[in-house]
Amino acid sequence: MKLVRVLGLPLCFGAAMVVAGLVGMGVTADRAEAQATSLDQVLQAVRNQRRQVSQENQQRERAFRQEQARQQGLLQEAGAQVTAEEAISDQLDATFNENEEELARLEALLREKQGAFGELFGAARQAAGETRAVVNNSMVSAQFPGRDGLLTEIASSRTLPTIEQLENLMFTMLKEMVEQGKVVRFNAPIIAGDGTSVTQEVVRIGPFVAFEGRKYLKYSPESQSLEYLQRQPAGDAPGAAGRVFGFQGEGFTQGVIDPSMGTLLGLLVQSPSLRERVDQGGTVGYVILGIAAFGVVLGVYKWVTLNLTQVAVRGQMRSKRAGKGNPLGRVMLAYDENRSADVETLSLKLDDAILREIPKLEGGLNTVKVLAAVAPLLGLLGTVTGMIQTFQAITLFGTGDPKLMAGGISQALVTTVLGLTAAIPLLLLHSFAAASSRRTSQILEEQAAGMIAEQAEAR
């Protein structure tokens, strides 16, 4: 079948060429004989090629069988290795189980042999753990770092502590106790606010407080070094630190310590400053402060000017010569201008002069009074808006975290305080200024009445 298919292609191809030659070109008999000779050659070439292909296929088949035999050998070898490894695994499992049983037996024997030493082992571990917690958080560790290594080794050990370890534990505890009663000066690295570390001279008062110059320090267990407080205490505390830091002689000096070993200083740093308190009031707080500033300036100005006017009026009372620089002088000028008029006309002229002076005396006082009334109302407005924010936070997040409600409560309380703080001085200034205005007006009325009486008596 293969021969037929192979031969069929050139035969058909030759037949097609013969037909093409007869139709299109008119091939001669000699050329037909030459064509037949070439077909024999093609047939012979095809036979040679078939024989060559057959030989190649036989060679491939022999190579395939050889490779198959080799792979079969490798498969058998791998199977033998798997069997051997499984046997080793079974043996190891059996050994592991035997070791577990032996370990349990030895642990039971160890507990039996330890007896009272087992309790000592537990007490030593507990003491090492507690001492490590104290040492890690103690400010003394800033002067003696790395003391927790031995304590960690004892606390995490699964064997009985040695005599040397117990002695080192005892010495560490005694060292901490002794250093807690000392005031020492030493050099230590201090971490600044920007993260840089610089070595400075430090004064430490036991485990309570440490400072560099007038600046208080805190101990960070994470970095095992001292750090500057983010905000220094106010009042006399920095001065007390400076006195202790600069004290070199014999005797005593006053200082400040934190008996909570840093807790109180941390809370003091977290307490907001005056500026931060004002910022908590929000927009309403700033409006109240603006009103208070304007009202105080206006009230002080009116109070001062009214007092100066009152002094000028009293000076005019001692002088017979009228001047235009004070209200009484201007009233006296009106009297001089209308001295020849009758008593009724003179009274009206003096009343008119006094009425012209009263607006100048009382100008601005009503503004101060209105501002004093508006300030607490704005504080109440801030209180209401702050409580609204608090209730919104409760609605959204519940009452689990008080910090979420702190902003609204702070605004509510701070605006109330700001409103009262603004209203109280404004009311006082208005009262003082109004009293000065009334006294001056009363003097003008008294002097005008005296002038009228004098004129009536003269007539």
Side-chain angles (χ1 to χ4, degrees):
M1 292 299 295
K2 293 181 179 180
L3 180 60
V4 172
R5 285 196 297 270
V6 173
L7 294 178
L9 178 61
L11 288 177
C12 293
F13 180 77
M17 293 186 63
V18 170
V19 173
L22 291 176
V23 177
M25 302 177 58
V27 182
T28 59
D30 294 337
R31 295 185 62 182
E33 184 178 0
Q35 181 70 26
T37 301
S38 62
L39 290 176
D40 292 338
Q41 294 176 354
V42 170
L43 179 60
Q44 185 62 34
V46 170
R47 289 175 178 173
N48 294 335
Q49 184 178 4
R50 178 178 177 276
R51 190 166 42 254
Q52 182 179 358
V53 170
S54 177
Q55 292 176 356
E56 292 178 354
N57 290 336
Q58 290 177 0
Q59 292 177 357
R60 291 193 187 97
E61 184 176 358
R62 287 193 299 269
F64 177 77
R65 293 183 182 278
Q66 292 175 358
E67 182 66 20
Q68 182 180 10
R70 190 180 68 82
Q71 293 292 337
Q72 188 67 29
L74 293 176
L75 178 61
Q76 294 176 356
E77 182 179 354
Q81 290 180 355
V82 169
T83 303
E85 294 297 333
E86 289 178 349
I88 295 174
S89 177
D90 295 339
Q91 181 180 0
L92 292 177
D93 288 339
T95 304
F96 179 78
N97 293 332
E98 292 176 358
N99 291 336
E100 285 288 332
E101 295 176 358
E102 181 66 16
L103 181 60
R105 187 185 66 81
L106 292 177
E107 288 180 349
L109 180 61
L110 178 62
R111 288 192 296 269
E112 180 182 356
K113 295 294 185 181
Q114 283 180 350
F117 287 102
E119 298 180 1
L120 175 62
F121 169 59
R125 289 186 59 184
Q126 181 179 0
E130 294 175 353
T131 306
R132 179 180 59 182
V134 173
V135 167
N136 286 338
N137 295 283
S138 176
M139 195 168 290
V140 179
S141 297
Q143 184 179 0
F144 305 101
R147 296 185 298 165
D148 59 339
L150 175 64
L151 301 176
T152 303
E153 179 182 354
I154 299 176
S156 60
S157 176
R158 297 179 58 87
T159 60
L160 286 174
T162 62
I163 299 298
E164 182 180 0
Q165 289 177 333
L166 292 177
E167 290 179 348
N168 290 332
L169 173 60
M170 179 187 66
F171 291 146
T172 303
M173 297 174 66
L174 291 176
K175 182 71 172 178
E176 180 68 19
M177 294 170 60
V178 171
E179 292 297 328
Q180 287 184 0
K182 290 183 177 181
V183 178
V184 296
R185 187 185 301 269
F186 62 96
N187 293 326
I190 304 175
I191 299 178
D194 56 357
T196 59
S197 178
V198 57
T199 301
Q200 296 287 348
E201 188 179 29
V202 176
V203 172
R204 174 180 58 82
I205 302 178
F208 305 107
V209 68
F211 29 76
E212 183 270 322
R214 295 170 56 90
K215 297 181 179 180
Y216 284 81
L217 308 173
K218 67 175 182 179
Y219 178 72
S220 175
E222 292 77 12
S223 60
Q224 294 187 351
S225 59
L226 296 173
E227 299 178 358
Y228 288 106
L229 290 177
Q230 297 178 357
R231 182 168 57 206
Q232 296 296 320
D236 188 53
R243 288 194 300 270
V244 176
F245 186 83
F247 184 75
Q248 300 287 346
E250 298 292 335
F252 300 92
T253 185
Q254 293 183 350
V256 176
I257 65 171
D258 182 2
S260 64
M261 302 181 187
T263 303
L264 292 179
L265 280 176
L267 295 176
L268 183 62
V269 169
Q270 293 178 2
S271 61
S273 61
L274 179 60
R275 175 60 184 274
E276 293 172 345
R277 288 291 189 191
V278 173
D279 293 339
Q280 290 174 354
T283 304
V284 178
Y286 293 128
V287 173
I288 294 175
L289 290 178
I291 289 176
F294 176 73
V296 168
V297 171
L298 180 60
V300 171
Y301 170 75
K302 289 298 301 181
W303 187 23
V304 171
T305 54
L306 287 172
N307 287 331
L308 294 177
T309 301
Q310 187 175 1
V311 172
V313 168
R314 293 185 182 277
Q316 183 65 56
M317 291 171 59
R318 293 188 295 269
S319 175
K320 297 298 183 180
R321 184 177 181 181
K324 296 182 178 181
N326 61 89
L328 181 58
R330 290 188 288 270
V331 172
M332 293 174 64
L333 289 175
Y335 170 76
D336 293 337
E337 292 174 357
N338 299 278
R339 185 184 295 270
S340 60
D342 58 278
V343 175
E344 184 177 356
T345 302
L346 180 62
S347 177
L348 293 176
K349 290 294 185 179
L350 292 180
D351 288 342
D352 180 64
I354 293 174
L355 290 176
R356 285 197 298 268
E357 297 298 331
I358 289 177
K360 299 177 183 178
L361 297 175
E362 296 181 351
L365 294 181
N366 288 333
T367 303
V368 176
K369 186 176 181 180
V370 170
L371 294 179
V374 169
L377 293 179
L378 287 175
L380 180 60
L381 175 63
T383 301
V384 174
T385 56
M387 295 309 298
I388 290 174
Q389 293 181 4
T390 301
F391 289 130
Q392 287 179 348
I394 293 175
T395 302
L396 294 176
F397 306 104
T399 58
D401 189 359
K403 293 183 179 179
L404 297 175
M405 302 180 289
I409 296 175
S410 298
Q411 180 177 351
L413 298 178
V414 169
T415 52
T416 303
V417 172
L418 291 177
L420 296 175
T421 304
I424 291 172
L426 290 179
L427 286 175
L428 292 176
L429 288 173
H430 175 266
S431 177
F432 297 153
S436 298
S437 176
R438 285 193 300 269
R439 285 194 296 268
T440 304
S441 299
Q442 185 178 2
I443 292 174
L444 296 179
E445 293 175 356
E446 291 176 354
Q447 293 298 318
M451 294 176 190
I452 295 172
E454 182 181 355
Q455 183 68 12
E457 183 180 357
R459 297 211 176 169

